[in-house]
Amino acid sequence: AQKITQTQPGMFVQEKEAVTLDCTYDTSDQSYGLFWYKQPSSGEMIFLIYQGSYDEQNATEGRYSLNFQKARKSANLVISASQLGDSAMYFCAMREGLTGGFKTIFGAGTRLFVKA
Amino acid sequence: GAGVSQSPSNKVTEKGKDVELRCDPISGHTALYWYRQRLGQGLEFLIYFQGNSAPDKSGLPSDRFSAERTGESVSTLTIQRTQQEDSAVYLCASSSSGLLYNEQFFGPGTRLTVL
């Protein structure tokens, strides 16, 4: 079974608008962490934001926020005020605790295109 | 300080040959990960080292793949008898510990092409 599901292979957004990238996950662990990474065409992986399973508030980092809905097992990334430089692949990842051995599993990614 | 480094950056090999890929994690990072990323796809977990614990090898796709780590430093990923389907970018990442909240820092990757 897929641990991390990103259902949007590609997304378009107009510059300066907000966009939501979807991520759902599957775990039986009570303790886990959720991450989002950005991969521009250069290939580097850039950490964006983290949400812990016990965090009661949604994580925010500048223009990035994570819409965490624990009961629905979703951890959507919201990018506000999109910029042309946001065009990239975005990966959702989960690190499980004891049951997952603390390794990190990545989703298939969503390619975001920001239009001028 | 220096980030995660990987060598070589590119490797072209013939089918059937063995290859070794190297990863130098950030100094002091106890956790080290290897991933494979095929063209246009996501990251596929291969193996995870945490301190002196036995590595988690559950992602290795076949017994042609193996990895070692010397203490909490350099790691090598070895692929024996390479096949064309092994062509991919191999990414290494390290984090300061295996705790849930520790972000991973990625190296630039090694692009492997098997002819």
Side-chain angles (χ1 to χ4, degrees), chain A residues 98-109:
Chain A
L98 290 174
T99 63
F102 292 91
K103 64 176 181 278
T104 304
I105 303 297
F106 283 74

Side-chain angles (χ1 to χ4, degrees), chain A residues 31-33 35 37 39 43 45 47 50 53 89 91 95-97 100-109 111, chain B residues 33 35 37 40-45 48 56 58-59 91 95 97-108:
Chain A
S31 295
Y32 52 91
F35 301 79
Y37 286 83
Q39 188 178 44
M45 291 286 287
F47 166 74
Y50 166 81
S53 60
M89 281 289 286
F91 292 100
R95 179 179 296 144
E96 294 176 290
F102 292 91
K103 64 176 181 278
T104 304
I105 303 297
F106 283 74
R111 184 170 295 281
Chain B
Y33 305 78
Y35 297 92
Q37 186 176 29
Q41 298 188 18
L43 277 69
E44 179 185 0
F45 167 78
Y48 163 50
D56 182 338
S58 60
L91 290 164
S95 63
S97 78
L99 295 177
L100 289 177
Y101 53 80
N102 288 136
E103 71 192 79
Q104 295 176 52
F105 295 83
F106 282 81

Side-chain angles (χ1 to χ4, degrees), chain A residues 21-90:
Chain A
L21 306 184
D22 294 342
C23 173
T24 58
Y25 58 91
D26 182 27
T27 182
S28 56
D29 230 322
Q30 295 301 308
S31 295
Y32 52 91
L34 298 157
F35 301 79
W36 278 91
Y37 286 83
K38 172 183 178 182
Q39 188 178 44
S41 56
S42 57
E44 62 189 305
M45 291 286 287
I46 302 168
F47 166 74
L48 296 178
I49 196 166
Y50 166 81
Q51 179 85 41
S53 60
Y54 292 116
D55 294 340
E56 294 188 352
Q57 291 196 325
N58 288 340
T60 60
E61 289 285 347
R63 294 186 299 110
Y64 304 107
S65 61
L66 201 153
N67 183 359
F68 182 46
Q69 297 186 44
K70 192 171 183 177
R72 298 178 63 182
K73 294 188 175 177
S74 75
N76 298 339
L77 177 70
V78 180
I79 305 174
S80 62
S82 297
Q83 301 172 357
L84 295 178
D86 293 336
S87 294
M89 281 289 286
Y90 289 82

